[in-house]
Amino acid sequence: METADDEDARSASEVSQLARDVAQGDGWVVSFGFRQPVMACPGCSDGREICA
């Protein structure tokens, strides 16, 4: 599956990996549970807050 019709096209997997890398760079914790990605914000991951 392609995300665009030009020479800069990327697969959905590539886009997903780029988004995951950016989120982790901003302090988000990405793990997997029940075969799905689970993300925790920077505040939750370091214990400052609990998001619901």
Side-chain angles (χ1 to χ4, degrees):
M1 175 180 209
E2 296 292 328
T3 58
D5 292 331
D6 60 15
E7 62 189 44
D8 291 330
R10 297 182 190 272
S11 71
S13 178
E14 288 175 302
V15 172
S16 179
Q17 183 62 50
L18 287 170
R20 193 167 31 248
D21 291 346
V22 169
Q24 287 176 317
D26 283 343
W28 285 74
V29 173
V30 180
S31 59
F32 288 87
F34 298 106
R35 299 182 189 181
Q36 296 181 22
V38 177
M39 297 179 70
C41 74
C44 290
S45 63
D46 68 10
R48 288 181 287 146
E49 58 187 75
I50 297 174
C51 301

